[in-house]
Amino acid sequence: MSKLLSERILNMSTSATLAMAAKARELKSEGQDIIGLSLGEPDFNTPDFIKEAAKEAIDQNYNSYSPVDGYGDLKTAIINKFKRDNNLEYKPSQIVVSTGAKQSLANVAMAVINPGDEVILPAPYWVSYSEIVKLAEGIPVEVATTIENDFKMTPDQLEAAITPKTKMLWYSSPCNPSGSVYSKEELEALAAVLRKHPGIIVVSDEIYEHINFSGGHFSMASCEGMYDRTVTVNGVSKAFAMTGWRIGYIGAPEYLARACNKIQGQITSGANCIAQRATIAALEAPVSKIGYMIEKFHERRDLVLGLLGEIPGMKLNVPEGAFYVFPDISDFFGKTIKGKTINNATDLSMLLLEEAHVATVTGEAFGNPNCIRISYAASEAELKEAIKRIKDVLTA
Ligand code: PMP
Ligand code: GLU
């Protein structure tokens, strides 16, 4: 019967992050002692001041459809946030609130990509980028980065990847899965290349903006000549521990925001009204209110890097943001561990699930077949136990 499905869906891969999380949940429900480090999801509760705003919204009878692109006062909060944190000035007509940054990305893809258009993805990239691009009938063009360069694309690599068919560049900083943060100078250097190619639109995914230990976040839209062709994507899932509330947003050139609004109006309408009201509280609060979570992530990053560094064969960069480590585990390829031959990152990730009972995600899903992704959005006790188990299996 699957033959009845569209080619579009048959050509699409299932989200590897969500698939691994589902597999870990299934094994747990069967009674196995699985430590889930596959899903990129904070283990904190949503802060009380945000929950209170949602409760008030329910009591104030926020139960009707909101404007498709979001409540006016939420857009004001987003505009103020862009000004405060990113030095970017937007008008309300340039803001679209969506059901998660994932929908924001899908809207932009549908609005910009024509069949056969190329979209440059510095690899490793977040798992859904390539599939959303393909869904919009675009062609993902992967640019492989190296651990030696902290998994960042150089201006020369960008220049070499551009063809007459290049329509977009998509990247995240801080990066999921590598944790890399592009500095102001690095983004300026990429912008200098892009200025020579005015037809390329950039998606700058800044959803991990506040989970940044390098001290500096910089937005591509604030580089010279980039404002009118950059879509800045952000959301509350990560920094505010609101993954399930499903609110993301963009700041974009007006024509593009209007196009996203048009698509969303036919597909989902406005995002959940209670979650939108809660997001106003989140964005209006000083960033220091979520500082306790960022500090914890920082401590855990150091803990995890230290412990993984003790395992021979793990090569690591120092992630400056997000909550993932992305070790290069290619030293294990060709080895047989616990009777299983490891030929690639997927084999190693499966070995860790089956033998160490630790769920990770294969780097293949992120466009890098030499690495695995480990989320450290988990308690210190879980992280210590998980890495001990990984070490026991890999050094057996
Ligand atoms: N971009 C990146 C880089 C992500 O890691 C995620 C995580 N889900 C998203 C976008 C989407 O976030 P959400 O839909 O939860 O807002
Ligand atoms: N962004 C998170 C991750 O990469 C959540 C899962 C998803 O949306 O794919 O794990």
Side-chain angles (χ1 to χ4, degrees):
M1 287 307 273
S2 66
K3 272 193 267 161
L4 296 177
L5 294 172
S6 67
E7 278 178 34
R8 187 179 302 118
I9 205 71
L10 293 172
N11 287 336
M12 187 185 190
S13 313
T14 301
S15 163
T17 47
L18 300 184
M20 192 50 141
K23 173 110 191 126
R25 244 180 252 132
E26 184 191 312
L27 293 174
K28 253 188 186 170
S29 74
E30 287 168 7
Q32 292 205 34
D33 173 23
I34 303 289
I35 303 180
L37 305 183
S38 57
L39 198 59
E41 159 151 88
D43 56 322
F44 295 102
N45 290 324
T46 304
D48 285 344
F49 72 95
I50 300 174
K51 292 199 285 198
E52 287 309 322
K55 288 179 201 166
E56 265 171 41
I58 293 174
D59 289 339
Q60 290 167 355
N61 296 311
Y62 275 94
N63 42 233
S64 311
Y65 289 128
S66 77
V68 171
D69 49 352
Y71 288 118
D73 50 354
L74 172 54
K75 286 187 175 198
T76 303
I78 292 170
I79 287 167
N80 291 340
K81 174 257 167 301
F82 274 130
K83 179 91 197 91
R84 177 191 70 188
D85 300 336
N86 313 109
N87 203 22
L88 291 171
E89 302 265 2
Y90 288 111
K91 294 190 297 246
S93 54
Q94 295 179 273
I95 305 292
V96 180
V97 178
S98 300
T99 301
K102 223 176 218 176
Q103 186 184 24
S104 304
L105 291 163
N107 284 344
V108 174
M110 295 298 175
V112 172
I113 299 171
N114 279 320
D117 283 348
E118 293 179 356
V119 178
I120 295 177
L121 305 180
Y125 49 81
W126 180 47
V127 63
S128 293
Y129 290 176
S130 54
E131 300 312 306
I132 293 174
V133 166
K134 284 197 276 175
L135 198 59
E137 297 183 61
I139 300 173
V141 175
E142 299 183 13
V143 175
T145 64
T146 60
I147 193 166
E148 290 74 26
N149 199 39
D150 193 24
F151 295 113
K152 290 182 209 168
M153 181 174 67
T154 65
D156 286 348
Q157 284 183 305
L158 173 60
E159 183 85 69
I162 293 173
T163 75
K165 291 194 145 192
T166 306
K167 190 71 178 283
M168 303 185 89
L169 160 66
W170 285 32
Y171 72 94
S172 60
S173 178
C175 174
N176 178 1
S178 67
S180 309
V181 175
Y182 282 87
S183 67
K184 180 173 190 292
E185 293 68 33
E186 286 162 340
L187 287 178
E188 296 277 13
L190 295 177
V193 175
L194 292 163
R195 279 197 291 275
K196 291 189 262 170
H197 303 276
I200 300 176
I201 291 172
V202 178
V203 167
S204 172
D205 182 344
E206 305 182 13
I207 196 159
Y208 294 95
E209 170 181 19
H210 295 308
I211 308 174
N212 181 336
F213 324 122
S214 73
H217 175 82
F218 196 70
S219 295
M220 178 62 97
S222 62
C223 290
E224 189 195 329
M226 295 309 298
Y227 178 81
D228 287 331
R229 55 193 180 105
T230 299
V231 182
T232 307
V233 177
N234 212 320
V236 288
S237 283
K238 311 294 174 174
F240 297 93
M242 292 174 71
T243 48
W245 297 68
R246 312 302 307 124
I247 297 290
Y249 56 88
I250 58 167
E254 191 169 334
Y255 75 91
L256 222 159
R258 281 192 200 288
C260 292
N261 191 2
K262 186 170 161 187
I263 293 168
Q264 198 164 290
Q266 293 289 18
I267 296 183
T268 54
S269 306
N272 176 290
C273 59
I274 307 301
Q276 285 194 57
R277 304 311 300 167
T279 298
I280 298 176
L283 296 183
E284 282 182 345
V287 180
S288 56
K289 275 213 150 175
I290 51 169
Y292 65 99
M293 293 190 268
I294 316 303
E295 274 167 33
K296 269 279 166 233
F297 287 133
H298 196 168
E299 282 168 29
R300 292 171 184 177
R301 193 247 355 224
D302 292 343
L303 172 78
V304 163
L305 277 186
L307 294 174
L308 286 175
E310 290 170 10
I311 304 177
M314 288 256 176
K315 290 197 277 288
L316 292 149
N317 69 319
V318 178
E320 292 194 299
F323 36 61
Y324 311 102
V325 284
F326 198 58
D328 181 321
I329 41 73
S330 56
D331 271 14
F332 295 95
F333 295 173
K335 294 195 174 149
T336 300
I337 303 172
K338 302 252 176 202
K340 291 175 179 128
T341 305
I342 307 303
N343 288 316
N344 50 47
T346 305
D347 289 346
L348 193 98
S349 177
M350 287 317 291
L351 175 83
L352 296 181
L353 181 65
E354 286 160 10
E355 299 295 335
H357 292 175
V358 177
T360 60
V361 187
T362 173
E364 282 176 43
F366 305 93
N368 184 320
N370 292 330
C371 297
I372 59 168
R373 190 189 77 175
I374 300 175
S375 161
Y376 56 83
S379 73
E380 273 144 52
E382 279 180 304
L383 293 169
K384 282 185 188 159
E385 172 62 18
I387 299 173
K388 182 187 167 301
R389 291 188 197 176
I390 292 175
K391 188 174 180 183
D392 288 348
V393 168
L394 296 183
T395 55

